Amino acid sequence: MNFDFTPEQLAIKKMITEFADSEVKPYAEEADKEEKFPEEQIKKLAKLGVMGMSIPKKYGGSELDNISQTIIMEEVSRACNATAVTMGAHASLACHPIVNFGTEDQKQKFLPKLASGEYLGAFALTEPNAGSDAVNVQTTAVKDKDEYIINGNKIFITNGGKADLINIVTTTDRSKKHHGLAIFALETKGLKGFELGKKEDKLGLRGSNTQELVFKDMKISKENLIGGIEGEGFKIAMSVFNSGRIGIGVQGVGIAQAAFDECLKYVQEREQFGRKLHKFQAIQFMLSDMAMKIDAARLLCYRAADMKDKGKRYVKEAAMAKLYGSEIAMEVTRKAIQIHGGYGYTKDYPLERFYRDAKITEIYEGTSEIQRLVIAAELLGRGF
């Protein structure tokens, strides 16, 4: 494997790092305290072509390779994970089904608007009784001539209350279990039978929007059935999450890196017992372990992205990247607070925000337990 970035990837890294430091990082504290959605940051990311990074150029996108997309996700996550998850839910979860499974008409209709940032996207699977158990979707789509009538509700949907286009997972035939799922692309503006429910008050990622969606006899054209075929919903959803796991893993890396950077600065300034903290061997050991594990998590993410770029099967590698990246985010942010002592427990420093933001990476887009099941299934040759 070549560990060097190409000149194009280095240029992207330089651009996005500068943008994240100047436009995103200064906003992060305000977003957390005031639950302020990163509307302006998302508009600026759209102008940079980031919101269309996974969309082919023929539909107005940037069509970046997966290594470049991973670079972008890490740098934005390092600056503000609420902005990163808003961007990621759009560029990965919302765009992936249409790019990879949509009909040509669907691509031409939706992708230019998603690429330009005119539309913000979301993906809706989770329900009160369906999340890790994706097959147990209760939201129904009943065909009625050239339309489908949709009833049900979705919870914990990132961008749900802000999205202009939402891909929702439904069941058209519960008796067929995973062969009975279908996904529809919904344009939310003026859509009758669609309502917003509870907006979640979250532990972390407080600047991102997480909301319940309610469907009451909502009618949608059969033209909005992604791929135009019933029964493909489970396959599409698993493809979406497999790809998205790389992004969540590197979100964890970005958060961990931000916490580590704060620690490295702090231990060279803070004195105890007449010495700078970095002079103590215990602190040196903690810093060494943190740096090593962040690098290991980062390499797992970039390996999975590289395999995806090369068209190889990357299910196990994506699950490993997501699992380790998220768990390292929790470990590093916890140690970062410990190094800062009482200061780390206060809101005068960003460590407690990093810690709160890190926790969700172990939960969404497949819990750590689900990732272990995926890895085991791949190791045992069963697939997932």
Side-chain angles (χ1 to χ4, degrees):
M1 181 186 294
N2 183 357
F3 291 93
D4 294 328
F5 291 144
T6 66
E8 292 79 9
Q9 290 164 349
L10 287 172
I12 288 170
K13 181 174 174 59
K14 183 177 185 296
M15 175 198 73
I16 201 67
T17 299
E18 291 174 353
F19 176 84
D21 286 339
S22 64
E23 299 288 345
V24 179
K25 188 176 179 179
Y27 152 87
E29 183 179 350
E30 179 185 3
D32 182 67
K33 287 182 178 180
E34 300 181 11
E35 293 185 80
K36 186 177 178 182
F37 187 73
E39 188 171 351
E40 291 304 314
Q41 286 71 25
I42 293 301
K43 287 180 180 177
K44 291 175 181 178
L45 285 166
K47 289 182 179 178
L48 291 176
V50 169
M51 301 304 281
M53 61 185 173
S54 62
I55 296 174
K57 291 180 180 178
K58 66 183 289 188
Y59 302 110
S62 303
E63 199 173 347
L64 298 182
D65 60 89
N66 288 284
I67 293 290
S68 295
Q69 293 182 45
T70 304
I71 290 169
I72 291 169
M73 182 59 74
E74 179 181 347
E75 290 304 306
V76 178
S77 299
R78 179 183 56 80
C80 173
N81 205 38
T83 302
V85 71
T86 302
M87 174 189 75
H90 169 97
S92 177
L93 301 187
C95 295
H96 182 95
I98 301 170
V99 169
N100 293 280
F101 299 95
T103 64
E104 185 58 32
D105 285 345
Q106 290 168 349
K107 291 176 181 180
Q108 291 184 11
K109 182 178 181 181
F110 300 129
L111 292 181
K113 293 179 180 179
L114 291 167
S116 68
E118 179 183 348
Y119 275 9
L120 181 68
F123 185 88
L125 167 68
T126 305
E127 300 178 0
N129 293 305
S132 295
D133 183 10
V135 176
N136 198 35
V137 166
Q138 306 289 310
T139 298
T140 58
V142 178
K143 194 169 185 181
D144 181 22
K145 298 179 182 178
D146 290 336
E147 294 181 320
Y148 285 84
I149 301 173
I150 297 178
N151 283 281
N153 72 309
K154 301 289 183 180
I155 59 172
F156 305 148
I157 306 306
T158 301
N159 296 347
K162 300 290 186 178
D164 304 285
L165 185 138
I166 305 175
N167 298 317
I168 67 163
V169 182
T170 69
T171 177
T172 56
D173 188 341
R174 293 205 65 206
S175 68
K176 294 182 179 179
K177 298 183 178 180
H178 61 280
H179 292 297
L181 300 186
I183 300 179
F184 293 84
L186 311 178
E187 293 176 280
T188 60
K189 187 175 181 179
L191 189 60
K192 294 181 180 179
F194 168 67
E195 299 175 4
L196 295 177
K198 178 186 177 185
K199 180 179 179 293
E200 299 298 337
D201 184 6
K202 308 187 298 292
L203 172 72
L205 298 186
R206 294 180 61 78
S208 71
N209 173 264
T210 307
Q211 198 142 356
E212 179 185 18
L213 312 178
V214 181
F215 309 102
K216 297 178 180 179
D217 292 327
M218 184 188 74
K219 294 182 179 181
I220 192 78
S221 170
K222 67 177 183 179
E223 302 300 322
N224 291 71
L225 173 62
I226 293 183
I229 305 172
E230 291 186 11
E232 296 290 291
F234 184 80
K235 180 180 76 173
I236 296 171
M238 292 305 101
S239 176
V240 168
F241 290 131
N242 188 44
S243 177
R245 285 169 187 149
I246 302 172
I248 302 303
V250 84
Q251 277 184 41
V253 171
I255 297 169
Q257 186 65 55
F260 180 79
D261 291 345
E262 290 290 328
C263 284
L264 207 57
K265 180 173 63 175
Y266 182 78
V267 299
Q268 296 176 77
E269 297 171 349
R270 173 75 166 163
E271 285 191 9
Q272 287 286 280
F273 304 101
R275 290 192 292 170
K276 299 288 188 183
L277 284 187
H278 70 87
K279 297 288 187 180
F280 292 91
Q281 190 179 64
I283 296 296
Q284 293 174 11
F285 283 1
M286 291 174 74
L287 291 173
S288 297
D289 286 345
M290 291 160 76
M292 175 183 65
K293 291 178 179 181
I294 291 169
D295 237 17
R298 179 180 289 114
L299 290 171
L300 282 173
C301 293
Y302 283 99
R303 178 184 68 166
D306 182 66
M307 292 179 69
K308 185 180 179 185
D309 277 331
K310 292 175 178 175
K312 297 180 179 179
R313 182 175 176 83
Y314 64 99
V315 175
K316 172 170 64 69
E317 289 75 14
M320 286 180 171
K322 198 272 187 188
L323 174 63
Y324 196 66
S326 61
E327 294 194 344
I328 288 308
M330 283 302 298
E331 179 180 338
V332 169
T333 54
R334 176 176 57 81
K335 286 185 176 179
I337 291 175
Q338 191 71 16
I339 287 173
H340 280 70
Y343 290 114
Y345 200 67
T346 71
K347 291 186 180 293
D348 292 334
Y349 288 77
L351 284 306
E352 58 84 30
R353 168 165 53 85
F354 297 155
Y355 186 71
R356 289 184 286 108
D357 283 355
K359 181 57 195 174
I360 191 61
T361 64
E362 294 185 307
I363 298 172
Y364 61 12
E365 288 196 48
T367 63
S368 293
E369 292 72 26
I370 289 294
Q371 303 314 312
R372 287 182 165 88
L373 288 176
V374 172
I375 294 165
E378 290 292 307
L379 292 173
L380 296 170
R382 296 199 301 263
F384 196 88

